[in-house]
Amino acid sequence: MNLFAFKLGRKTELCLGELESIFGIKNLIENNAEFAIFKLNLEDTEAQNLQNRLGGTIKIIKIFDSSGRLEESISSILKKTFKDRSGKIPFAISLLNFTNPKEINIKHLLNFSKKFLKSLGLNSRFVNKDFSSAESATIFKARIIEKGIDINIIKGNSNIYMGETLAVQDLDSYSKRDFDKPRRDMATGMLPPKLAQIMINLAGTDTKTIYDPFCGTGTILTEGLLMDKNVIGTDIEQKMIDFSRENLHWIKREMKDKIKETSRFRLFVKDSRFLNKTDFPEKIDAVITESYLGKPISSLPSKEEREKTFRELANLNLNWLISVNKITEKNCPIVTCIPAFKTGQTFEFFPHFEEIAKQAGYKISHSFIYDRPDQIVAREIKVLEKSQSKTQYH
Ligand SMILES: C[S@@+](CC[C@H](N)C(=O)[O-])C[C@H]1O[C@@H](n2cnc3c(N)ncnc32)[C@H](O)[C@@H]1O
């Protein structure tokens, strides 16, 4: 077992929730607003594969020292075998969780590293701009992980950890999946692929077959295929089923080396308030969905309109949750989104969702908020588990 630091994305609680769901909270060593450290059995060669499945992690760092002796520690890691010793070896130093960057003399450490590499007979160049901490995007673009090294200095609760980056978020792949797919639909809203991955992971690791009852253009389904799941999608509109189908065929073509031959998808039109067991012969392991969030809007609606939206959605949510409860087994979780309006600096949350879930036979096990600065409607991500109470809809 080794220690690994995961640099968290913007919505840190949600990103941490994803990691806890996959690795188990018992393996969490420490966390703060920038990173989480877990004790794991992870081969270096498996790190990029893992990274590619984590929507909420920016990079994965293997901790190699926590003595706080920076130069000593840098010298020992720089003795590693570089694959390509010809040309200049690119390297970077990244600081995590240092609110006062002056705490670390990064300029000195960069020059120290360069000199040390020179003493080993290696020419090098660092990618840090203006002697400040390296950005993950720069590390990705300069292909530091394949060709050189990114050394991380991480301020923990009581230690300074030193670590080497093993994997970094593949920005090109996310952008391709988001913007190049044949069917996008502004009206149904755009679920970012990273958020779809996080939602799939929040349902745990034991999910072979996942179901999205509001599949729209199929983001959860395409991400599911990339994560080796069998996926089922339904939507009330034929047009959306057609869009999903096109996007699924596209991802299978474009990323065929990343999708297992055995992974299957199935799509059909269905109102999710009226699901029948006979439509689902396969066992569904998790329901992952961005359910209908209300009509698209370009400005904050009036209080009356917001209340009306919440009332309509309360009905829809109660009915589809009851309906899904009937067709799934008792350990089948749901990860869903409900809207929250952003009113100034605060949120107006969906009222009484806990009661709605309870009436449908579910309890909320986790709740997170996902918003972007430019959005009027934020998403609350809810993880639901079937309650053990008498409410059963079989
Ligand atoms: C927020 S969008 C989902 C977008 C999707 N995550 C994507 O990647 O494009 C909600 C979808 O729910 C569908 N919908 C609305 N009411 C429905 C119902 N009662 N049953 C099934 N689908 C419904 C809409 O047609 C729409 O495609």
Side-chain angles (χ1 to χ4, degrees):
M1 288 256 206
N2 283 303
L3 295 187
F4 294 87
F6 293 76
K7 183 174 181 193
L8 303 171
R10 194 173 50 87
K11 303 304 295 180
T12 48
E13 282 175 26
L14 178 63
C15 302
L16 177 63
E18 177 186 41
L19 295 173
E20 286 175 350
S21 164
I22 295 185
F23 304 136
I25 205 159
K26 66 176 194 309
N27 291 314
L28 177 65
I29 305 298
E30 65 172 280
N31 70 284
N32 58 41
E34 249 194 288
F35 66 83
I37 295 185
F38 284 85
K39 196 181 204 174
L40 301 173
N41 257 326
L42 173 68
E43 295 295 328
D44 293 7
T45 48
E46 274 306 303
Q48 190 63 53
N49 227 342
L50 172 65
Q51 170 70 68
N52 293 344
R53 291 160 167 261
L54 296 173
T57 291
I58 293 174
K59 61 180 177 176
I60 302 177
I61 301 155
K62 185 174 184 178
I63 307 286
F64 57 81
D65 185 46
S66 58
S67 67
R69 291 192 290 272
L70 304 189
E71 290 182 13
E72 216 173 283
S73 175
I74 288 177
S75 316
S76 80
I77 190 70
L78 287 178
K79 285 185 197 146
K80 79 168 210 166
T81 331
F82 291 97
K83 275 192 207 127
D84 182 3
R85 295 168 66 94
S86 64
K88 287 194 171 179
I89 291 180
F91 74 95
I93 294 184
S94 308
L95 304 184
L96 270 82
N97 198 33
F98 285 92
T99 39
N100 174 9
K102 292 214 172 91
E103 270 180 80
I104 299 281
N105 188 342
I106 196 165
K107 184 173 180 177
H108 167 75
L109 292 176
L110 285 165
N111 288 327
F112 171 84
S113 307
K114 202 168 161 61
K115 265 194 214 144
F116 188 81
L117 285 168
K118 188 89 198 148
S119 75
L120 300 175
L122 295 166
N123 282 327
S124 64
R125 69 178 173 91
F126 49 81
V127 301
N128 294 63
K129 287 200 186 81
D130 305 325
F131 300 107
S132 54
S133 177
E135 298 288 331
S136 303
T138 313
I139 292 160
F140 174 72
K141 289 205 180 87
R143 303 189 51 217
I144 301 267
I145 293 161
E146 296 98 304
K147 298 182 180 167
I149 185 164
D150 175 37
I151 299 169
N152 297 268
I153 309 176
I154 307 169
K155 188 175 179 179
N157 292 339
S158 47
N159 289 333
I160 302 269
Y161 296 100
M162 300 291 286
E164 176 183 357
T165 302
L166 295 184
V168 62
Q169 215 168 48
D170 184 343
L171 299 172
D172 291 345
S173 177
Y174 282 115
S175 149
K176 183 180 166 99
R177 274 134 71 191
D178 209 358
F179 300 108
D180 295 358
K181 65 184 176 192
R183 292 299 183 175
R184 305 183 85 225
D185 188 65
M186 303 290 264
T188 57
M190 311 274 202
L191 184 74
K194 283 182 200 171
L195 182 55
Q197 280 186 318
I198 294 175
M199 290 174 67
I200 294 171
N201 283 327
L202 284 172
T205 45
D206 279 345
T207 54
K208 224 178 133 23
T209 300
I210 61 172
Y211 168 45
D212 181 353
F214 297 85
C215 68
T217 61
T219 315
I220 288 168
L221 308 177
T222 48
E223 291 307 313
L225 275 192
L226 286 168
M227 293 163 80
D228 304 335
K229 315 286 178 197
N230 294 319
V231 297
I232 309 167
T234 58
D235 197 285
I236 198 165
E237 279 196 47
Q238 179 66 52
K239 181 179 103 174
M240 302 319 288
I241 292 298
D242 295 342
F243 281 10
S244 271
R245 194 179 307 282
E246 254 190 82
N247 285 339
L248 281 157
H249 282 302
W250 176 81
I251 203 98
K252 282 196 101 168
R253 245 188 352 263
E254 291 292 315
M255 307 209 166
K256 59 173 175 294
D257 52 326
K258 300 212 163 57
I259 295 177
K260 279 195 179 151
E261 289 249 344
T262 47
S263 298
R264 296 271 166 265
F265 72 81
R266 201 160 75 77
L267 295 164
F268 54 99
V269 176
K270 197 84 199 170
D271 184 333
S272 60
R273 293 168 297 180
F274 308 105
L275 304 171
N276 307 313
K277 187 78 190 104
T278 47
D279 288 325
F280 300 91
E282 59 278 82
K283 178 174 169 277
I284 298 166
D285 299 311
V287 173
I288 321 281
T289 194
E290 180 192 30
S291 73
Y292 181 63
L293 301 172
K295 291 193 199 85
I297 47 170
S298 53
S299 59
L300 183 68
S302 66
K303 184 136 189 60
E304 290 71 38
E305 283 172 284
R306 300 200 298 269
E307 280 168 5
K308 184 165 170 258
T309 304
F310 281 144
R311 265 198 312 279
E312 286 169 6
L313 293 183
N315 247 324
L316 172 66
N317 274 283
L318 177 63
N319 289 315
W320 83 260
L321 289 173
I322 291 176
S323 178
V324 154
N325 195 342
K326 281 186 198 159
I327 61 146
T328 52
E329 294 187 9
K330 73 170 185 296
N331 55 359
C332 175
I334 297 179
V335 183
T336 183
C337 300
I338 51 171
F341 289 105
K342 277 171 87 172
T343 51
Q345 291 307 304
T346 55
F347 294 102
E348 186 173 279
F349 290 109
F350 196 110
H352 314 301
F353 186 74
E354 194 168 354
E355 284 157 41
I356 291 169
K358 193 172 170 201
Q359 269 192 59
Y362 288 92
K363 63 178 189 325
I364 300 172
S365 68
H366 293 91
S367 190
F368 305 95
I369 186 88
Y370 178 89
D371 69 312
R372 282 192 296 210
D374 54 328
Q375 284 174 328
I376 304 158
V377 179
R379 297 173 179 91
E380 262 195 283
I381 317 291
K382 301 281 184 188
V383 184
L384 308 178
E385 282 164 15
K386 290 198 185 190
S387 36
Q388 304 301 319
S389 73
K390 288 175 236 79
T391 329
Q392 286 295 334
Y393 292 94
H394 289 285

